[in-house]
Amino acid sequence: MRRKIIAGNWKMNKNLEEGLSLASEVTNMAADEVPNDVTMVMCTPAIHLSAVSTTTKDSSNVFVGAQNMSEYESGAYTGDLSGNMVASTGATFVIIGHSERREYHFETNAQLAQRVKLALSIGLTPIFCCGESLKTREANEHIDFVNKQLDESLFDLSAEDIKKIVIAYEPIWAIGTGVTASSEQAQEMHRSIRSFIATQYTHEVAKEISILYGGSMKPGNAQELLSQPDVDGGLIGGASLKARDFIDIAKSY
Ligand code: PEP
């Protein structure tokens, strides 16, 4: 049975004090208001992972994730963050291949494939991001584009391993823009992702994978997006920075 997941991506926001205050607000509100079958994740700046993990350690449904990790286990990679370091903080999720990292840090599908494998080998759950630009959508190439991202980064995984990952479909034109994909556009892509996985593996495998939607999700539009049969949750940027909004999204299920 695939999980319902509401994950927040704080990006480069919140100093430590602000981050800890947001994390404890979210954790306390989740305990009172969010059903236990909804998994919540806060993907914080790396420097906050350890402290935020302490805040959430007694929660049954709030977890912590990193926003990125290296494809290397350790070594002379100044400024980088290894999967092992992430796991040692108590974090259990890691975003891999966010479009901002692909764009500003030139991350490639091949590099992301290595990161996904390494994350899984350490016991972290990768939240693998995919999604097309506006130009690609307008050229009606969005499905092929996303299929290629999946193919080149995920399809070397065994059936057992691919079942452990979470996929986030995030159309680039909807991230941080206030423009959301319509529920039909989201469902079309999510269904396509699931059937593409089914053709590479099996329907049973595809059915197990949570596919999140990301791109200007907020309390006002969450319910409609989350009611689509292949939308299993959200990856939320801006609205995850306010505890009330983040919790209200999680309550929209
Ligand atoms: C994101 O950064 O993954 C994201 C979806 O951002 P926003 O919700 O602000 O569009």
Side-chain angles (χ1 to χ4, degrees):
M1 180 70 176
R2 56 187 186 256
R3 289 206 269 179
K4 299 175 179 177
I5 300 173
I6 299 293
N9 174 12
W10 294 4
K11 310 195 187 193
M12 198 175 72
N13 293 296
K14 306 283 179 194
N15 67 22
L16 182 58
E17 194 186 340
E18 294 161 344
L20 281 174
S21 142
L22 173 60
S24 51
E25 260 190 287
V26 167
T27 309
N28 292 336
M29 288 163 98
D32 294 338
E33 302 180 40
V34 179
N36 247 323
D37 67 337
V38 178
T39 295
M40 301 195 69
V41 186
M42 292 183 285
C43 297
T44 79
I47 200 161
H48 304 351
L49 287 172
S50 180
V52 171
S53 294
T54 306
T55 306
T56 61
K57 75 176 185 336
D58 294 327
S59 168
S60 56
N61 62 342
V62 183
F63 299 90
V64 179
Q67 298 173 13
N68 179 41
M69 62 171 263
S70 170
E71 62 272 32
Y72 302 111
E73 282 181 36
S74 62
Y77 302 102
T78 302
D80 282 352
L81 180 69
S82 78
N84 204 356
M85 291 171 192
V86 171
S88 72
T89 66
T92 48
F93 286 78
V94 57
I95 296 175
I96 293 184
H98 191 281
S99 60
E100 287 154 15
R101 304 249 1 139
R102 291 177 188 258
E103 181 179 354
Y104 307 136
H105 297 271
F106 312 105
E107 293 179 353
T108 65
N109 290 340
Q111 218 175 2
L112 301 175
Q114 288 176 270
R115 291 181 191 185
V116 168
K117 272 199 189 134
L118 189 53
L120 287 168
S121 75
I122 292 163
L124 293 169
T125 300
I127 302 177
F128 176 79
C129 298
C130 56
E132 80 288 351
S133 66
L134 187 58
K135 195 163 159 246
T136 303
R137 178 163 279 266
E138 284 174 346
N140 202 25
E141 288 166 359
H142 48 294
I143 302 268
D144 287 347
F145 182 85
V146 168
N147 283 353
K148 186 165 157 46
Q149 289 181 319
L150 301 175
D151 188 19
E152 294 183 0
S153 296
L154 301 183
F155 289 168
D156 262 357
L157 296 174
S158 67
E160 267 323 294
D161 274 351
I162 199 159
K163 280 201 271 185
K164 295 180 193 150
I165 70 160
V166 173
I167 293 176
Y169 167 58
E170 299 209 298
I172 298 168
W173 45 272
I175 297 180
T177 58
V179 179
T180 315
S182 67
S183 48
E184 293 79 19
Q185 286 171 320
Q187 171 56 22
E188 179 206 35
M189 182 61 88
H190 284 230
R191 189 179 48 211
S192 157
I193 291 172
R194 204 179 302 287
S195 44
F196 193 44
I197 295 170
T199 60
Q200 302 297 316
Y201 296 86
T202 62
H203 279 289
E204 296 312 304
V205 168
K207 248 176 26 195
E208 293 293 310
I209 298 177
S210 297
I211 307 176
L212 318 185
Y213 167 79
S216 300
M217 192 185 267
K218 36 189 180 277
N221 59 28
Q223 191 162 26
E224 203 190 328
L225 288 158
L226 295 171
S227 66
Q228 300 305 307
D230 287 292
V231 176
D232 308 310
L235 179 55
I236 294 119
S240 73
L241 297 173
K242 291 200 182 112
R244 182 73 268 156
D245 286 356
F246 191 43
I247 293 290
D248 282 349
I249 292 172
K251 284 167 70 180
S252 304
Y253 264 120

